[in-house]
Amino acid sequence: MTQDELFKVLVAHCKEYGFIFPSSEIYDGLAAVYDYGQMGVQLKNNIKNYWWEAMTRLHENIVGIDSAIFMHPRIWEASGHVGAFNDPLIDNKDSKKRYRADVLIEDYLGKIEEKIEKEVAKGKKKFGDAFDEAQFRATNPNVLREKAKWDEVHNRYVAAEKANDFAEYRQIIIDCNIVCPISGTCNWTEVRQFNLMFSTSMGSTADGANLIYLRPETAQGIFVNYLNVQKTGRMKIPFGIAQIGKAFRNEIVARQFIFRMREFEQMEMQFFIKPGTELDWFKKWKENRMKWHVNLGMGAENYRFHDHEKLAHYANAATDIEFNFPFGFKELEGIHSRTNFDLGNHQKFSGKKIEYFDPEENTSYTPYVIETSIGVDRMVLAVLSHSYTVEQLENGEERVVMKIPAPLAPIKVAVMPLVKKDGLPELAQKVVDELKYDFSYQYDEKDSIGKRYRRQDAIGTPFCVTVDHDSLNDGCVTVRDRDSMTQQRVKIEDLRAMIEKKVSLTNLLRNL
Ligand code: ATP
């Protein structure tokens, strides 16, 4: 099976076993939006718990918040999202490819410039030492013709940009006969302004409703609460604020299942530090976050750092943690040294002083920030794609087993009476009562034991506990291990400790 085919099988498996459904499926779905089913939500919650506890419980100086999705619209001006996410997009109707209209025009201007430079180079070669470049540029008919063309298009482009006149963008493209490199045609749609942020309005339209945005990242909710948390929590730098929440981006190219969604969830932590210490902290957080990933036991070789060479204007160091997804190594988490860009801008835009008074040094400064930002859904996909395993059994059959790291498994234990009579269901129910306060469980008495095992394998349940006739006399049950398929007899009163050892989040956290 190719990786592509395997990925399709995984997507189908996720639906069949209640992990992930396409959103609004009975209405034929909604592009790049997904719902988590009864298994998926538990896996997702377990991932979130692992992150939340690792951040807020294992670090005395990191606290969590939960800020609103709706925020003051000025926040997105301060963060740069209103300005930076505005792309004028145009589609070629024949190739169905989408382009940025401004880039098409700029490329066209670039080509004219190249032509002019070629003419100049030709002249230089022809006239040798006697070449007067300024005069050549001012008089050569080819150069003049190209220059006039450049001036005309450039002037129209600058005016259109100033006026935000997208119809004029399109007219320039058509007048210059700029064609799509794929289809070679000039069959263009209208130009549309495209901002990655979803917007809506707050208040009734009659009294001039405010345009507000669905947050494209959770981080800004942390920045604008920096002062609140620092003061009320009496936090001393260095300290961090963690948050888990939904984010929304109107992604243009949205595919690859839950890898790129239009509504997704992020787990972000902003760590506030003294200026000048950022590269040290950046290194520490890189190590810390990689350890968190590798601790799950999905193979250190499946992760790698990808350091950014081209940095965003506000960052002075950035890296991605990439995971080996079925479609190759791709970004799972970003770690960024964001300087004081965000706090500084919020100070400017809000007019409120955002500083930290350092009592030891008796000075005030705007803190620098190291950010760790991971997509919950991408993490779910990493776990699901790594866990999906097809095994050939000795009896010639095949089993599909989700080898989900045990502490993340949606269901920890399945309890099954061998038969539906002779008092076995009653005893099985007693076993359930013994376990249900500590572990998520399923009780299953339908079909053969073999079939029941397969069902649990398909959702990644680490333990199956079978109650049989002997159990009535010896108080023992058979425990079957998901990965090795080995079975052992265990006393009912020892079950809890045995399961706990393997599935406990506490043990996972202890290893960090
Ligand atoms: P990409 O380059 O893949 O678009 P990004 O660099 O824009 O991602 P960030 O803005 O750094 O992503 O967001 C932090 C994290 O949020 C990413 O590492 C990823 O795990 C997650 N994320 C971002 N966009 C999406 C999305 N559309 N769907 C699911 N998760 C996402």
Side-chain angles (χ1 to χ4, degrees), residues 164-190:
N164 253 345
D165 183 352
F166 293 121
E168 174 66 355
Y169 272 9
R170 179 170 185 268
Q171 203 52 51
I172 296 172
I173 289 171
I174 294 192
D175 291 348
C176 296
N177 197 27
I178 299 175
V179 298
C180 161
I182 309 280
S183 67
T185 70
C186 202
N187 193 7
W188 296 106
T189 61
E190 297 302 311

Side-chain angles (χ1 to χ4, degrees), residues 19-25 33-37 261:
F19 283 94
I20 295 158
F21 307 125
S23 160
S24 325
E25 202 186 1
V33 185
Y34 290 90
D35 295 338
Y36 284 83
M261 301 155 90

